[in-house]
């Protein structure tokens, strides 16, 4: 890709003193992390446990701590949250297309989603913006980004900065997915990452064990989902809780719900003109996965973007998991979600 992802403008050149200051700050976070429980994770790199959740050090560096200390939300911000492999690539595409539909008609041949993967249009706070491994110890200047700003995150609800969770205005759209498909999608993704760094693939049984112990990436999966679920019950005007499986079944209904929640509902005229359907088509698995950028472009992990597009279906896990694994996962899910009012 010849041009830079739009978010890169927030890494403005800094003076030598400012650079040294950033470096000092990141070093202090590294020190905190060096004292946390750490094990060798599924990618062959250390994973550390911070505030009850597991983070891959190579994937996020000290990102979560930097987000907590430096990110200040604006009232117009929208945060797209998920635990990995629940449909964030899709959610980001939809939200970006909805929010920017006046400047970028979904039917235009110049739409940014046709040349950028959605992760480059909606950067993840702790992975793209505050990740010292990725950005050479530079703290970004997010003030420079035009409002309303769209960000992604995989951080758990309970670890988000208070400027988001205590704001009357900032909104969060969370997407989750049924446990079994999440596990299988994650397992495939893990093996793509591993093969990229010349590691042997891990067996499904092993990924299953990691997952059940809560040590999947940004896991425990169930605690992550429950955090946002509770947030959506306590602050329904600020947290919208979506399920990938339901969105695939009824995309029109959910896209309209999202647009309402994001404060940019579709007008009757827009609906009549077919904008809702155009956005759904633009962001469909078939359209996005066949774009040049998503077939051949490379992500910050060094993976080609096609790693983010596998099947895009509900229920594929049945082709991989044994009846025993299904029973065990269903049992854990039932136990964990018991009494919450949530089913997955
Ligand atoms: P991430 O956490 O690494 O960003 P994420 O996008 O959340 O990944 O999840 C990837 C899943 O979403 C994949 O599911 P699968 O492995 O079961 O196939 C991927 O195929 C699916 N996906 C990606 N884009 C779309 C889309 N446009 N529509 C529906 N599903 C999609």
């Amino acid at each position: 890709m010849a041009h830079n992802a739009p978010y890169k403008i927030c890494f403005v050149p800094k003076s030598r003193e400012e650079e040294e200051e950033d470096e000092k700050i990141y070093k202090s976070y590294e020190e905190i992390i060096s004292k946390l429980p750490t094990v060798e994770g599924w990618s062959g790199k250390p994973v550390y446990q911070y505030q009850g959740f597991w983070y891959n050090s190579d994937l996020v560096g000290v990102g979560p701590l930097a987000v907590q200390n430096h990110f200040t939300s604006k009232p117009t911000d929208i945060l797209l949250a998920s635990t990995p492999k629940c449909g964030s690539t899709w959610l980001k595409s939809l939200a970006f297309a909805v929010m920017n539909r006046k400047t970028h008609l979904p039917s235009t041949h110049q739409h940014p989603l046709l040349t950028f993967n959605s992760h480059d249009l909606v950067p993840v706070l702790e992975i793209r913006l505050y990740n010292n491994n990725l950005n050479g110890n530079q703290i970004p200047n997010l003030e420079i980004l035009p409002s309303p700003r769209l960000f992604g995150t995989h951080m758990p609800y309970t670890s988000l900065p208070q400027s988001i969770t205590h704001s009357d205005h900032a909104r969060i759209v969370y997407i989750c997915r049924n446990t079994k498909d999440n596990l299988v999608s994650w397992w495939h993704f893990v093996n793509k990452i591993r093969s990229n760094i010349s590691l042997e693939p891990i067996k499904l049984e092993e990924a299953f064990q990691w997952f059940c112990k809560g040590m999947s990436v940004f896991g425990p999966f169930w605690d992550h989902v429950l955090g946002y679920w509770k947030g959506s019950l306590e602050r329904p005007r600020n947290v919208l809780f979506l399920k990938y499986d339901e969105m695939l079944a009824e995309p029109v209904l959910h896209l309209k719900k999202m647009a309402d929640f994001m404060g940019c509902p579709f007008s009757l005229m827009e609906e009549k003109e077919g904008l809702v359907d155009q956005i759904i088509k633009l962001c469909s698995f078939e359209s996005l996965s066949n774009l040049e950028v998503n077939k051949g472009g490379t992500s910050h992990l060094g993976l080609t973007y096609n790693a983010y597009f596998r099947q895009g279906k509900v229920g594929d896990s049945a082709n991989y998991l044994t009846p025993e694994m299904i029973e065990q996962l269903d049992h854990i899910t039932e136990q964990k979600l018991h009494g919450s009012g949530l089913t997955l």
Side-chain angles (χ1 to χ4, degrees), residues 121-134:
L121 296 172
V122 186
V124 176
L125 289 173
E126 70 282 5
I127 297 181
R128 291 291 171 96
L129 298 174
Y130 291 96
N131 178 351
N132 54 323
N133 287 343
L134 203 61

Side-chain angles (χ1 to χ4, degrees), residues 74-114:
K74 292 186 182 179
T76 49
D77 282 347
I78 296 189
L79 190 64
L80 306 177
S82 63
T83 184
K85 315 324 290 179
C86 280
S88 78
T89 311
W90 187 30
L91 179 69
K92 286 177 178 183
S93 310
L94 292 169
F96 180 90
V98 164
M99 185 177 264
N100 295 291
R101 64 187 188 268
K102 299 265 191 282
T103 34
H104 303 296
L105 277 176
S107 54
T108 171
H109 293 306
Q110 277 83 42
H111 198 284
L113 278 166
L114 302 178

Side-chain angles (χ1 to χ4, degrees), residues 84-90 119 177 185 244 283 308 310-312:
K85 315 324 290 179
C86 280
S88 78
T89 311
W90 187 30
H119 293 292
R177 186 180 197 184
S185 183
Y244 175 89
C283 301
Y308 294 81
R310 192 181 62 90
Q311 288 236 336

Side-chain angles (χ1 to χ4, degrees), residues 186-196 200-202:
W186 175 65
W187 171 60
H188 278 103
F189 193 71
V190 165
N191 281 337
K192 287 239 163 77
I193 293 181
R194 288 177 69 90
S195 98
N196 214 36
E200 289 283 298
I202 55 170

Side-chain angles (χ1 to χ4, degrees), residues 37-233:
T38 303
V39 296
E40 190 183 301
W42 46 265
S43 69
K45 298 277 166 56
V47 291
Y48 61 86
Q49 191 184 36
Y50 179 60
Q51 298 182 339
F53 289 82
W54 291 96
Y55 293 91
N56 260 73
S57 56
D58 52 330
L59 188 68
V60 298
V62 301
L65 280 80
V67 170
Q68 290 178 333
N69 287 296
H70 302 281
F71 178 73
T72 311
S73 126
K74 292 186 182 179
T76 49
D77 282 347
I78 296 189
L79 190 64
L80 306 177
S82 63
T83 184
K85 315 324 290 179
C86 280
S88 78
T89 311
W90 187 30
L91 179 69
K92 286 177 178 183
S93 310
L94 292 169
F96 180 90
V98 164
M99 185 177 264
N100 295 291
R101 64 187 188 268
K102 299 265 191 282
T103 34
H104 303 296
L105 277 176
S107 54
T108 171
H109 293 306
Q110 277 83 42
H111 198 284
L113 278 166
L114 302 178
T115 44
F116 286 106
N117 176 275
S118 62
H119 293 292
D120 279 336
L121 296 172
V122 186
V124 176
L125 289 173
E126 70 282 5
I127 297 181
R128 291 291 171 96
L129 298 174
Y130 291 96
N131 178 351
N132 54 323
N133 287 343
L134 203 61
N135 305 318
N137 286 328
Q138 201 184 345
I139 296 171
N141 173 10
L142 305 189
E143 292 300 312
I144 221 165
L145 297 172
S147 290
R149 306 180 303 180
L150 268 179
F151 298 112
T153 189
H154 290 314
M155 283 173 65
Y157 186 76
T158 42
S159 292
L160 291 179
Q162 292 203 347
S163 73
I164 301 173
T165 50
H166 286 53
S167 159
D168 284 340
H169 303 283
R171 277 156 290 188
I172 301 172
V173 182
Y174 185 73
I175 187 164
C176 76
R177 186 180 197 184
N178 79 74
T179 320
K180 290 165 280 192
D181 285 349
N182 181 259
L183 161 64
V184 167
S185 183
W186 175 65
W187 171 60
H188 278 103
F189 193 71
V190 165
N191 281 337
K192 287 239 163 77
I193 293 181
R194 288 177 69 90
S195 98
N196 214 36
I197 49 174
S198 308
L199 290 176
E200 289 283 298
I202 55 170
K203 295 208 165 69
L204 178 57
E205 291 72 15
E206 204 184 326
F208 177 79
Q209 295 303 334
W210 282 107
F211 193 92
C212 290
K213 279 191 284 183
M215 293 174 81
S216 53
V217 62
F218 294 88
F221 170 82
W222 301 274
D223 296 3
H224 202 286
V225 175
L226 274 175
Y228 282 92
W229 172 248
K230 286 180 189 152
S232 75
L233 296 181

